């Protein structure tokens, strides 16, 4: 016998009961409290003045450059507090398209570094809990080795690590695929329409550059990676990075966060590389978005486009779960609140109040971009002035529009359009001393911005589509005394967080926005107070520090959760061990499923998959191995399937094997006739009523189908719209339970995308003992079965066939046969043996299945009355000395394998039917031909 334990290979351990871990929520709550109790409060220092000079207009650059800045304060990290270890500083590798500094070359080997401006820069100023390294493109082309070495050394002092990209890569990857394809698509602007054919041809070139750039980022990350590091990938520039990192090392902790909206699945599916990008992101352990809507769209895209399973926790693919969650970003609110007390800010506030004395101040701060809705905002303000003449000369709109991409024609056109509208309105409603709109094409420094926020009465954010837009957060943080009103677009991510305190508007509805302006200007003081307090509490509690700490905390816990799940996942089958044990065995039994086990993988079927899957056909590469195996006199093969008898006859009629159709309810040797193993008194009068229900839902659900079998009825919606199919399945189940099967003895078996109704007790495991009994009777076995291989892609209910051979599930003993089956598979009739097998046999005596007798069993009963066991004559089949036990199975010689399912009660896994082909091919090479 084989002993693979000595070789360091083991299957599922059925006896081990792991300690029940804390729940995920309990772990996260505990860590949250520990993090709060150990929070480091940093006083205002001179060292922060340079950082405070950064423009904090988060929305201006949050989607354009992905630039970031980090703080280097040494703070204990509590991200693993749940493990009750000493607090330590966890290394965090933040990977973004751009570094938080701009490099200017001054000589051959010298650079001048300046802090960059960006949305994430200000968002992460308050994060002090991690030992952070920043990895990204320095924004400058450095083709020579001397320059690269000098820049790397200079950046290292700021804990930055450069990724050097040449001009061609930058043009194709950043300007091309990122900004020309992904950015417009994610903001609902669609793909480029000009010169469609040429654009389509360029997609692949740009996508290839995109993948190459992501691989270059991964190379740098892996060079500096240390075990235990967290790698936090940011934004749409690096969607391929999680996949690249996991290919290097599957144990790297990888998180990915998107700072833009994620479009609906219907829009995302127009992208030619849609599937590759989704699968690359799913390689991450945790995927984060600003809002639940974006997360929902991502999960929907994965289910509709990739056909994966969406769960409340994320997306599941073959047992591997990628967590998907919403993490609304925040700001360092204390920085803005403290800034209001600075003398220079107070002085600017005084100047602004004097400048606009007697007038209400409305403020708009945006990047000059199509998605910011600046023209719509100004037109709404014009309509407000038209409808409210009494507000003329009493209100002013200050619009700060920061220019971006000034060399792009679309942006030049937008700039001209805005200037034209502003000029027209000022000419129409302005006077010699005042104009209603002050428009600036420039950015403001931090102190001027804080002063402007503080004196504003109404902030107007009318984004047509925005990832988050932190201008609204910054405005609220500076309104402690003024308590101004926030008018916020419902299409900005911030609407999900500040919606209760803000006035939400549809920016496309000019009339609605104009009315909201009037309502905001006339709002009573008590209502302004309540709205402001709600928003202020949210902004000051959901800070950038909390955002980062929460994301890393969730990522750490996702790893813990994945480890707990992995303990329940069987290992991959060691083919060499299975083949070695097979070659040494004298009487082998191989039990095979059919669909998704002996058929071609679904992915290989292409767009004709549905039709080809409905007509199940044996994998073409399996014919020769099955022929060799079935001709081996030491090997017995059973194909145990839920398919009908006709399907099995068509595919396996040429082989010398046993066919068990409809979950084992019908059985035949390919050279014999079909017989039934169905327990007696199985009522089938329910079939017609269930059939009518399934017909109705098939008509209502496009691309679904149902199959009527002799012992079951199955409705399959695998190829239907996944969300609609689930809704229909829910209605179908509700109708079944309250209608045709409410009082019937039936099992309703739910697959991933199917519903099956079958009689109670109909399962592969329940039928296997009766099947084995008939096989033994027919073959007249004299040598016990000492090797069992069971492979299948079975439903959870049918996985009892795996457990049938697992004795430790029944007896809590060392691995041995779960059932010792004899001539008529009645263990109570077996005599005790004095051989080495007696201990196993005696334990098996206690293994008695409670079931009805099948027709096969009944034909062995000679008398209709009395004890049927007494009437059985073992000499009818074989003498008790010739084969007292059917199974003499050591645990090492039992191999149960689930195909394509990671959560299984089987001992081992095989990924696809291609792996089954390889395994059976190896077994066939160790088989001998049948002599007669």
């Amino acid at each position: 016998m084989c002993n693979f334990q000595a070789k360091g290979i083991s299957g599922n351990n059925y006896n081990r009961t792991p300690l029940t871990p804390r729940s995920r929520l309990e772990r996260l709550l505990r860590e949250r409290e520990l993090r709060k109790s150990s929070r480091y409060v940093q006083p205002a220092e001179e060292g922060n003045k340079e950082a405070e000079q950064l423009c904090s207009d988060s929305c201006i650059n949050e989607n354009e450059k992905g630039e970031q800045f980090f703080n280097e304060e040494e703070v204990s990290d509590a991200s693993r507090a749940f493990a009750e270890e000493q607090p330590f500083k966890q290394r965090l590798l933040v990977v973004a398209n751009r570094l938080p500094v701009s490099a200017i070359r001054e000589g051959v080997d010298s650079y001048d570094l300046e802090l960059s401006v960006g949305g994430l820069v200000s968002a992460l100023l308050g994060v002090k809990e991690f030992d952070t390294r920043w990895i990204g493109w320095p924004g400058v082309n450095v083709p020579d080795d001397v320059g690269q070495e000098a820049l790397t050394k200079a950046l290292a002092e700021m804990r930055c690590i450069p990724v050097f990209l040449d001009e061609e890569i930058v043009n194709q990857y950043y300007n091309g695929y990122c900004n020309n394809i992904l950015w417009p698509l994610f903001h609902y602007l669609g793909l480029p329409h000009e010169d469609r054919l040429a654009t389509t041809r360029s997609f692949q070139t740009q996508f290839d550059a995109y993948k190459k750039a992501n691989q270059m980022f991964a190379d740098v990350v892996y060079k500096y990676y240390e075990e235990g590091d967290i790698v936090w990938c940011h934004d749409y520039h690096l969607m391929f990075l999680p996949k690249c990192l996991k290919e290097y090392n599957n144990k790297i902790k990888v998180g990915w966060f998107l700072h833009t909206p994620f479009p609906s699945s219907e829009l995302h599916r127009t992208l030619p590389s849609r599937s590759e990008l989704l699968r690359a992101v799913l390689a991450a352990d945790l995927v984060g978005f600003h809002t639940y809507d974006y997360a929902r769209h991502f999960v929907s895209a994965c289910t509709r486009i990739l056909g994966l399973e969406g769960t409340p926790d994320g997306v599941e693919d073959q047992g591997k779960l990628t967590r998907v969650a919403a993490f609304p970003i925040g700001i360092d609110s204390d920085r803005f609140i403290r800034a209001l007390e600075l003398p220079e800010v107070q002085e600017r506030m005084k100047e602004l109040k004097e400048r606009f004395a007697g007038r209400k101040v409305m403020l708009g701060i945006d990047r000059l971009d199509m998605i910011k809705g600046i023209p719509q905002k100004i037109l709404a303000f014009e309509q407000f002035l038209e409808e409210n003449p009494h507000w003329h000369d009493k209100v002013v709109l200050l619009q700060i529009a920061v220019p971006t991409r000034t060399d792009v024609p679309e942006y030049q056109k937008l700039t001209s359009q805005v200037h034209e509208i502003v000029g027209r309105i000022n000419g129409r409603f302005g006077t010699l001393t005042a104009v209603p709109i002050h428009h600036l094409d420039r950015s403001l420094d931090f102190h001027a911005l804080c002063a402007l926020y503080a004196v504003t009465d109404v902030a107007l954010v009318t984004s047509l589509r925005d990832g988050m837009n932190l201008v609204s957060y910054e405005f609220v943080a500076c309104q402690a005394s003024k308590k101004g009103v926030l008018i916020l677009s419902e299409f900005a991510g911030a609407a999900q967080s500040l919606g209760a305190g803000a006035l939400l508007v549809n920016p496309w509805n000019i009339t609605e926005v104009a009315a909201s302006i009037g309502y905001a200007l006339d709002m009573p003081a008590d209502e302004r107070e309540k709205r402001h307090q709600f928003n202020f509490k949210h902004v000051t509690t959901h800070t950038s520090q909390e955002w980062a700490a929460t994301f890393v905390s969730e990522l750490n816990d996702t790893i813990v959760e994945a480890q707990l799940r992995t303990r329940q996942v069987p290992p991959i089958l060691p083919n060499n061990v299975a083949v070695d044990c097979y070659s040494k065995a004298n009487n082998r039994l191989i039990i095979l499923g059919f669909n998704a086990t002996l058929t071609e993988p679904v992915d290989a079927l292409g767009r004709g998959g549905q039709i080809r899957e409905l007509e199940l056909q044996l994998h073409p590469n399996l014919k020769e191995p099955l022929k060799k195996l079935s001709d081996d006199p030491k090997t017995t093969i059973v194909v145990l399937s839920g398919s009908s008898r006709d399907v099995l006859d068509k595919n396996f009629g040429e082989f010398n094997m046993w066919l068990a159709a409809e979950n084992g309810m019908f059985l035949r040797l390919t050279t014999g006739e079909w017989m039934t193993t169905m327990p007696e008194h199985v009522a089938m009068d329910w079939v017609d009523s269930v059939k009518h229900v399934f017909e109705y839902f098939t008509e209502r659900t496009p691309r679904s189908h149902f199959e009527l079998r002799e012992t079951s009825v199955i409705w399959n919606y695998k190829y239907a719209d996944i969300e609609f199919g689930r809704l229909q399945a829910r209605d179908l189940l509700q109708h079944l339970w309250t209608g045709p099967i409410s009082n019937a003895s039936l099992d309703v078996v739910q697959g991933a995308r199917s519903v099956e109704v079958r009689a109670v007790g109909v399962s592969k495991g329940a039928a296997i003992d009766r099947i084995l009994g008939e096989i033994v009777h027919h073959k007249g076995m004299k040598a016990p079965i000492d090797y069992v291989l069971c492979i299948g892609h079975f439903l959870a209910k049918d996985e009892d066939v795996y457990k049938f051979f697992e004795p430790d599930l029944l007896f809590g003993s060392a691995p041995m046969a779960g059932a010792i089956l004899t001539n008529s598979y009645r263990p109570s009739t077996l005599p005790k043996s004095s051989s080495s097998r007696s201990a196993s046999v005696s334990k098996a005596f206690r293994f008695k299945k409670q079931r009805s007798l099948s027709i096969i069993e009944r034909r062995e009963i000679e008398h209709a009355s009395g004890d049927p066991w007494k009437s059985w004559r073992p000499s009818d089949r074989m003498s008790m000395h010739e084969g007292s036990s059917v199974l003499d199975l050591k645990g090492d010689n039992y191999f149960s394998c689930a195909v394509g399912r990671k959560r299984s009660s089987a001992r081992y896994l095989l990924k696809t039917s291609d792996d089954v082909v390889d395994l059976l091919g190896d077994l066939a090479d160790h088989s001998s031909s049948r002599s007669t």
Side-chain angles (χ1 to χ4, degrees):
M1 296 292 177
C2 299
N3 185 357
F4 56 80
Q5 299 288 347
K7 300 180 182 180
I9 302 173
S10 62
N12 268 354
N13 190 329
Y14 290 90
N15 293 321
R16 184 185 306 163
T17 303
L19 295 175
T20 303
R22 291 191 183 97
S23 69
R24 174 177 165 271
L25 181 59
E26 183 181 348
R27 291 195 302 270
L28 292 174
L29 287 175
R30 183 184 175 202
E31 182 181 352
R32 179 174 178 269
E33 293 303 316
L34 288 171
R35 190 168 68 242
K36 283 188 174 182
S37 65
S38 63
R39 180 59 43 82
Y40 178 87
V41 181
Q42 180 187 17
E45 297 178 359
E46 293 297 319
N48 287 332
K49 287 186 176 181
E50 183 180 15
E52 293 202 356
Q53 297 300 320
L54 292 173
C55 171
S56 58
D57 176 16
S58 302
C59 77
I60 289 178
N61 290 299
E62 66 172 329
N63 294 332
E64 181 186 6
K65 295 183 179 179
E67 296 163 342
Q68 299 158 352
F69 174 80
F70 63 90
N71 190 287
E72 300 179 20
E73 291 294 329
E74 295 189 355
V75 185
S76 295
D77 173 52
S79 62
R80 288 191 178 178
F82 60 81
E84 299 185 354
E85 299 176 354
Q86 291 295 325
F88 70 98
K89 201 173 193 181
Q90 189 169 20
R91 280 209 348 160
L92 178 63
L93 302 181
V94 177
V95 192
N97 176 60
R98 287 291 302 272
L99 289 173
V101 294
S102 297
I104 302 175
R105 192 164 189 170
E106 295 183 333
V108 177
D109 58 354
S110 63
Y111 284 86
D112 178 45
L113 303 180
E114 295 181 358
L115 292 172
S116 300
V117 175
L120 223 51
V121 174
S122 57
L124 293 179
L125 279 174
V127 177
K128 314 171 183 71
E129 300 187 10
F130 311 107
D131 180 9
T132 310
R133 302 289 188 278
W134 235 263
I135 299 176
W137 177 48
V140 60
N141 181 34
V142 187
D144 57 297
D145 294 339
V146 175
Q148 291 185 7
E149 183 178 350
L151 182 55
T152 301
K153 184 177 180 181
L155 289 171
E157 297 179 3
M158 303 186 69
R159 294 193 170 188
C160 292
I161 301 167
V163 178
F164 294 107
L165 306 175
D166 59 50
E167 290 185 359
E168 178 62 22
I169 286 288
V170 170
N171 185 53
Q172 292 285 336
Y173 143 74
Y174 180 66
N175 297 327
Y177 199 77
C178 292
N179 289 339
N180 192 45
I181 296 177
L182 289 182
W183 189 89
L185 183 72
F186 282 15
H187 288 85
Y188 288 76
L189 299 178
L191 296 174
H193 293 288
E194 298 82 6
D195 190 9
R196 291 174 180 268
L197 184 60
T199 301
T200 303
R201 284 204 307 267
S202 67
F203 278 166
Q204 190 58 47
T205 303
Q206 294 177 358
F207 185 55
D208 291 341
Y210 180 85
K211 290 191 290 186
K212 181 178 179 181
N214 275 246
Q215 185 61 57
M216 295 171 71
F217 275 87
D219 294 339
V220 175
V221 172
Y222 198 64
K223 179 180 179 181
Y224 291 89
Y225 171 79
E226 297 177 4
E227 186 176 355
D229 287 355
I230 286 180
V231 182
W232 192 0
C233 312
H234 285 272
D235 231 349
Y236 59 93
H237 310 90
L238 300 174
M239 295 179 73
F240 236 82
L241 185 56
K243 178 177 182 289
C244 297
L245 292 173
K246 288 292 187 177
E247 287 176 348
Y248 273 126
N249 183 349
N250 193 49
K251 294 183 179 180
I252 295 180
K253 300 177 182 179
V254 179
W256 182 80
F257 190 88
L258 182 66
H259 294 271
T260 70
F262 192 89
S264 69
S265 60
E266 288 304 305
L267 193 62
H268 183 76
R269 73 188 312 137
T270 62
L271 188 64
S273 51
R274 59 193 187 181
S275 298
E276 287 186 81
L277 284 177
L278 290 176
R279 289 196 180 277
V281 171
L282 287 175
D285 300 295
L286 176 63
V287 176
F289 299 90
H290 283 308
T291 72
Y292 170 72
D293 283 347
Y294 306 157
R296 177 172 54 84
H297 288 163
F298 177 79
V299 173
S300 179
C302 292
T303 56
R304 290 175 175 270
I305 296 173
L306 300 181
L308 301 180
E309 190 72 18
T311 72
D313 289 328
V315 180
E316 187 168 356
D317 181 13
Q318 299 295 320
K320 193 266 184 183
L321 177 68
T322 299
R323 277 189 48 76
V324 179
F327 301 91
I329 196 173
I331 62 171
D332 184 5
S333 55
D334 289 341
R335 178 169 171 250
F336 287 86
I337 295 172
R338 293 195 306 266
L340 297 179
E341 304 300 325
L342 298 176
E344 53 265 45
V345 176
Q346 289 286 331
E347 182 64 27
R348 296 194 185 196
M349 289 172 59
K350 181 180 178 181
E351 293 175 1
L352 289 171
K353 288 178 181 178
E354 292 175 354
R355 174 70 178 81
F356 300 111
R359 305 173 75 182
K360 293 285 187 179
V361 177
M362 296 179 60
L363 176 65
I365 298 180
D366 306 276
R367 188 174 71 248
L368 191 55
D369 200 309
M370 285 82 74
I371 66 166
K372 297 300 182 179
I374 297 177
Q376 288 81 358
K377 176 193 304 184
I378 299 174
L379 291 174
F381 183 62
E382 179 184 27
Q383 182 168 334
F384 165 76
L385 294 177
E386 290 175 349
E387 297 173 350
N388 299 274
H390 62 283
W391 276 107
H392 293 184
D393 297 329
K394 295 181 181 179
V395 62
V396 60
L397 171 62
L398 306 181
Q399 177 61 54
I400 311 299
V402 181
T404 59
R405 306 179 188 176
T406 54
D407 57 336
V408 179
E410 289 82 357
Y411 288 79
Q412 295 172 353
K413 181 179 178 181
L414 176 64
T415 302
S416 300
Q417 182 184 19
V418 170
H419 289 173
E420 179 183 344
I421 298 173
V422 170
R424 189 187 75 244
I425 295 174
N426 282 339
R428 181 181 176 188
F429 296 101
T431 64
L432 291 175
T433 57
V435 293
I437 301 177
H438 288 241
H439 179 86
L440 296 179
D441 286 328
R442 51 163 293 188
S443 60
L444 299 180
D445 64 64
F446 177 69
H447 293 153
L449 197 62
C450 290
L452 193 54
Y453 280 141
V455 302
T456 296
D457 296 283
V458 178
L460 197 52
V461 179
T462 57
S463 304
L464 305 180
R465 190 73 60 174
D466 225 341
M468 194 64 179
N469 196 303
L470 295 181
V471 162
S472 53
Y473 277 62
E474 295 168 356
F475 166 74
V476 170
C478 295
Q479 283 287 311
S481 60
K482 192 88 171 182
K483 298 178 176 57
V485 181
L486 173 63
I487 299 178
L488 182 59
S489 166
E490 63 186 59
F491 299 114
Q496 303 291 325
S497 305
L498 305 179
L503 296 179
L504 294 185
V505 295
N506 176 1
W508 295 98
N509 189 334
I510 303 302
T511 301
E512 178 186 342
V513 177
S516 297
I517 292 174
Y519 184 74
L521 292 173
D522 292 326
M523 185 177 292
D526 58 339
E527 183 178 350
R528 289 206 319 271
E529 172 79 23
K530 291 178 181 178
R531 287 179 178 272
H532 169 74
Q533 289 301 330
F534 182 91
N535 286 343
F536 188 77
K537 181 179 180 181
H538 180 89
V539 169
T540 53
T541 55
H542 294 75
T543 62
S544 58
Q545 186 175 10
E546 280 296 322
W547 168 73
T550 301
F551 186 91
V552 176
S553 170
E554 290 267 4
L555 179 54
N556 276 324
D557 197 76
T558 297
I559 303 298
V560 174
E561 200 68 18
Q563 292 171 345
L564 295 175
R565 289 170 62 91
T566 302
R567 292 177 186 175
Q568 306 168 9
V569 175
I572 298 295
L573 175 70
N575 280 22
N576 58 331
V577 176
V579 172
D580 184 50
C581 293
Y582 173 88
S583 63
K584 297 176 182 178
N586 296 312
N587 192 3
R588 311 129 174 172
L589 174 65
I590 299 178
I591 302 171
L592 303 172
F594 182 32
N595 189 12
T597 303
L598 303 181
T599 57
E600 288 187 85
V602 175
D603 291 343
L605 300 180
R607 293 190 176 273
Q610 180 175 7
I611 300 300
R612 294 174 63 182
E613 196 172 76
L614 290 176
E615 299 178 0
L616 293 177
Q617 293 185 357
L618 179 66
H619 196 300
N621 296 337
L622 274 174
K623 291 186 177 181
E624 184 176 347
L626 284 179
K627 177 67 174 173
K628 289 182 179 180
L629 290 171
S630 61
D631 285 343
D632 188 337
K634 293 183 179 181
T635 303
T636 302
I637 298 180
V638 181
V639 175
L640 180 56
S641 172
S643 300
S644 65
R645 290 179 280 180
D646 292 342
V647 172
L648 296 190
D649 283 338
K650 178 181 177 182
N651 285 278
F652 301 99
E654 62 185 281
F655 305 106
N656 185 14
M657 61 175 60
W658 290 85
L659 305 179
E662 300 204 21
N663 301 306
M665 294 301 100
F666 297 96
L667 179 70
R668 87 171 178 103
L669 185 63
T670 49
T671 57
E673 299 296 326
W674 283 102
M675 63 191 82
T676 179
T677 68
M678 193 184 307
E680 65 173 338
H681 307 310
V682 173
M684 299 299 293
D685 53 355
W686 51 269
V687 172
D688 285 341
S689 57
V690 172
K691 172 189 171 184
H692 293 319
V693 174
F694 280 15
E695 284 178 337
Y696 173 72
F697 279 91
T698 299
E699 293 173 358
R700 290 181 58 188
T701 313
R703 300 179 71 183
S704 68
H705 64 277
F706 82 96
E707 183 179 353
L708 179 62
R709 299 172 181 171
E710 295 187 55
T711 58
S712 64
V713 186
I714 303 171
W715 182 65
N716 190 302
Y717 58 96
K718 178 177 181 179
Y719 291 96
D721 179 274
I722 183 62
E723 294 182 11
F724 182 61
R726 285 175 181 164
L727 291 174
Q728 293 292 81
R730 190 182 308 163
D731 289 347
L732 181 148
L733 289 168
Q734 184 177 8
H735 185 78
L736 285 177
W737 287 121
T738 58
I741 68 171
S742 56
N743 296 316
S745 298
L746 299 174
D747 282 334
V748 177
V749 183
Q750 295 185 59
R753 294 175 196 174
S754 66
V755 177
E756 179 178 0
V757 178
R758 60 171 78 156
V760 169
V762 175
S763 73
K764 293 178 173 65
I768 192 65
D769 58 342
R770 299 192 289 267
I771 293 171
L772 283 181
E774 183 59 27
I775 292 173
V776 172
H777 163 60
H778 184 275
K779 295 186 70 171
M781 282 187 183
K782 297 181 180 179
I785 295 174
D786 56 357
Y787 177 94
V788 173
L789 172 64
C790 184
I791 307 175
H793 179 80
F794 300 138
L795 295 174
K797 180 177 178 60
D798 291 321
E799 285 201 343
D800 54 359
V801 70
Y802 298 140
K803 301 176 184 178
F804 179 83
F805 298 98
E806 288 287 355
D808 44 332
L809 288 175
L810 298 168
F811 311 129
S813 64
M816 52 170 267
I820 305 299
L821 304 172
T822 63
N823 324 0
S824 193
Y825 35 92
R826 300 186 180 91
S828 61
T829 65
L830 294 178
K832 292 185 179 180
S833 171
S834 59
S835 66
S836 61
R837 297 192 298 271
S838 59
S840 298
V841 173
S842 64
K843 287 184 178 180
F845 288 162
R846 298 194 293 271
F847 181 63
K848 298 181 179 180
K849 293 185 178 293
Q850 302 298 320
R851 67 185 189 283
S852 300
L853 298 179
S854 70
I855 294 176
I856 295 176
E857 293 170 316
R858 286 174 58 82
R859 75 185 183 190
E860 300 299 325
I861 302 176
E862 293 186 347
H863 305 287
S865 60
D867 188 349
W869 300 116
K870 293 180 180 179
S871 66
W872 172 66
R873 295 177 301 179
S875 59
D876 284 342
R877 292 194 171 180
M878 53 184 172
S879 72
M880 298 170 61
H881 296 287
E882 289 177 324
S884 61
S885 66
V886 172
L887 297 176
D888 182 20
L889 192 61
K890 304 298 183 185
D892 297 353
N893 270 14
Y894 174 48
F895 298 88
S896 55
C897 308
V899 181
R901 289 183 185 276
K902 288 195 173 180
R903 305 292 292 273
S904 171
S905 59
R907 288 187 171 194
Y908 300 100
L909 295 178
L910 289 171
K911 293 182 179 179
T912 67
S913 57
D914 286 334
D915 296 323
V916 179
V917 172
D918 295 337
L919 174 62
L920 296 183
D922 292 341
L923 295 178
D925 292 339
H926 289 75
S927 295
S928 58
S929 300
R930 194 173 298 272
S931 57
T932 58

